[in-house]
């Protein structure tokens, strides 16, 4: 197999390579003065299985659009030169949040992104915690593997649980299934009951509103507040405040993708959130090292989940 990384910070990919017992395959990257890019593999991909790691979050150097274009063109290049199969390994998938029409003439951006991956000959896509699993799976015609972030958080389950009464909560109605799946997994891991709760939230035209309504028993409990991503942090803060007002002893935010945009550092410093746990799908580069939110932050690696998925793919193709 060939494992490529297109990320400028390839810490995640290096960990994945070590877990798989391979070295990252070399490639040439050139950025032209007008902003165009050129990516070229430096090993012959003919007849092989290629895996390309690229997390599609924006950073100081590239936008999500830049990274998406880089990934698509590199996949097309590998197929052009005879790779038997090319898998896109995408810890964070851009545009996954826009998966349905909510206003007249709305785009369905997730489906359009899926069509782009299919057009360049992508064999398979592996992602971590898409915004809406059903929408993600229905958008793609090529095979996909959806990895659940709570499997990464499970490694910290014993520490998180301690001797406290425990519940998993969703910060909005859309994340109920995600939270229920983790609650069931934790009950198996901890061999004791784990509660469930949901916080009301509505969003229209980018404006979030709620009445701090909490469904479920949370009084005196440690709450694991699970979501797919943190952007501004306002959803998590609102949910944490509602849970604390309903009697929760402590709220731990557990989130797959830490984007930390805008004023997230200030918002997440709120005392209603005791800890923040994210995966390494997106480096937390937007949180200043000295800020209060950064001091609350812990990272649960998703590398083992991706390594297991890649091994399963290779095993199935070789059978």
């Amino acid at each position: 197999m060939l494992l490529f990384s297109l990320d400028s910070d390839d810490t995640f990919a290096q960990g994945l390579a070590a877990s798989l017992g391979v070295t990252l395959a070399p490639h040439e990257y050139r950025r032209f003065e007008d902003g165009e890019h050129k990516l070229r593999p430096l090993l012959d991909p003919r007849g092989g299985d290629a895996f390309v790691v690229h997390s599609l979050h924006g950073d100081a150097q590239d936008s999500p659009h830049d990274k998406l274009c880089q990934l698509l063109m590199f996949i097309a290049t590998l197929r052009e030169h005879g790779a038997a199969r090319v898998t896109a390994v995408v810890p964070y998938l851009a545009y996954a949040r826009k998966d349905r029409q909510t206003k007249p003439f709305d785009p369905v951006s997730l489906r359009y992104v899926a069509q782009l991956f299919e057009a360049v000959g992508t064999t398979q896509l592996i992602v971590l915690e898409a915004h809406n699993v059903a929408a993600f799976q229905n958008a793609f015609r090529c095979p996909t593997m959806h990895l659940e972030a709570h499997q990464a958080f499970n490694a910290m389950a014993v520490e998180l649980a301690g001797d406290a009464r425990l519940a998993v909560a969703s910060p909005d109605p859309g994340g109920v299934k995600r939270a229920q799946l983790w609650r069931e997994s934790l009950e198996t891991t901890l061999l004791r009951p784990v509660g469930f709760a949901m916080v009301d939230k509505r969003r229209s035209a980018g404006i979030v509103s709620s009445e701090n309504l909490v469904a479920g028993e949370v009084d005196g409990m440690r709450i694991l507040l699970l979501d797919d991503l943190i952007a501004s942090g306002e959803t998590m803060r609102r949910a944490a405040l509602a849970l604390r007002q309903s009697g929760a002893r402590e709220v731990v935010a557990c989130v797959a993708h830490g984007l930390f945009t805008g004023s997230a550092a200030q918002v997440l410093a709120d005392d209603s959130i005791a800890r923040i746990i994210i995966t390494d799908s997106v480096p937390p580069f937007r949180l200043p090292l000295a800020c209060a939110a950064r001091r609350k932050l812990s990272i649960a690696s998703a590398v083992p989940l991706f390594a297991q998925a890649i091994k399963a793919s290779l095993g199935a193709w070789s059978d």
Side-chain angles (χ1 to χ4, degrees):
M1 63 170 288
L2 295 175
L3 180 66
F4 295 91
S5 173
L6 305 187
D7 289 325
S8 56
D9 176 2
D10 63 0
T11 305
F12 182 93
Q14 289 285 0
L16 184 57
S19 184
L20 293 168
V22 301
T23 57
L24 291 177
H27 71 281
E28 177 191 12
Y29 170 77
R30 292 179 61 192
R31 180 191 293 271
F32 297 96
E33 292 180 356
D34 65 350
E36 294 182 10
H37 308 85
K38 172 188 173 182
L39 295 107
R40 178 173 69 96
L42 297 178
L43 290 176
D44 188 346
R46 281 178 291 186
D49 292 314
F51 295 81
V52 186
V53 182
H54 208 26
S55 196
L56 301 182
H57 60 276
D59 56 29
Q61 183 173 341
D62 292 310
S63 71
H65 333 299
D66 292 324
K67 291 188 173 185
L68 178 60
C69 186
Q70 292 164 15
L71 178 56
L72 292 170
M73 287 194 172
F74 195 67
I75 291 171
T77 302
L78 291 169
R79 293 306 301 267
E80 174 83 11
H81 294 287
R85 288 170 290 267
V86 181
T87 296
V89 180
V90 185
Y92 174 70
L93 178 64
Y95 294 107
R97 283 178 281 180
K98 191 55 185 169
D99 55 28
R100 63 192 180 98
Q101 296 174 347
T102 56
K103 302 287 184 183
F105 314 117
D106 254 2
V108 186
S109 303
L110 175 60
R111 177 157 52 85
Y112 310 153
V113 168
Q115 291 169 340
L116 290 171
F117 275 106
E118 292 155 7
V120 297
T122 308
T123 305
Q124 177 181 237
L125 192 80
I126 306 176
V127 308
L128 177 71
E129 204 62 68
H131 183 65
N132 181 316
V133 181
F136 165 75
Q137 291 173 337
N138 286 326
F140 285 83
R141 290 176 294 177
C142 67
T144 60
M145 296 182 72
H146 179 266
L147 309 181
E148 296 166 332
H150 75 252
Q151 298 292 346
F153 299 139
N154 265 353
M156 306 175 72
V158 174
E159 176 204 346
L160 291 171
D163 59 358
R165 296 171 59 223
L166 194 68
V168 177
S170 171
D172 54 46
V176 165
K177 187 62 177 179
R178 180 183 296 115
Q180 287 176 333
L181 288 172
W182 195 22
R183 181 191 68 80
E184 294 167 2
S185 177
L186 280 175
E187 286 189 331
T188 300
T189 300
L190 301 172
L191 300 176
R192 60 184 173 93
V194 175
F196 170 77
M198 181 199 75
V199 181
D200 178 46
K201 187 190 90 168
R202 291 174 296 281
R203 184 190 300 271
S204 179
I207 299 173
V208 175
S209 63
S210 71
E211 302 297 331
N212 291 335
L213 300 176
V214 174
E217 176 58 46
V218 300
D219 190 38
M221 291 186 171
R222 175 174 293 144
I223 307 299
L224 306 180
L225 184 60
L226 181 66
D227 208 356
D228 62 312
L229 63 85
I230 289 179
S232 70
E234 192 59 41
T235 293
M236 299 304 282
R237 186 188 69 86
R238 284 173 176 265
L241 284 170
L243 290 162
R244 292 298 300 275
Q245 290 168 7
S246 295
R249 166 183 157 186
E250 184 180 62
V251 177
V252 179
C254 301
V255 182
H257 313 293
L259 300 182
F260 302 118
T261 57
S263 58
Q266 292 74 39
V267 171
L268 295 169
D270 196 290
D271 290 340
S272 61
I273 301 174
R275 291 181 63 185
I276 304 166
I277 302 172
I278 62 172
T279 76
D280 47 0
S281 65
V282 180
F285 60 91
R286 292 192 182 97
L287 281 185
L289 291 174
C291 74
R294 188 65 177 256
R295 291 193 291 271
K296 298 180 185 181
L297 188 69
S298 300
I299 296 178
S301 181
V303 165
L305 301 181
F306 280 90
Q308 183 179 13
I310 290 173
K311 290 175 183 176
S313 295
L314 288 170
W317 292 334
S318 64
D319 287 345

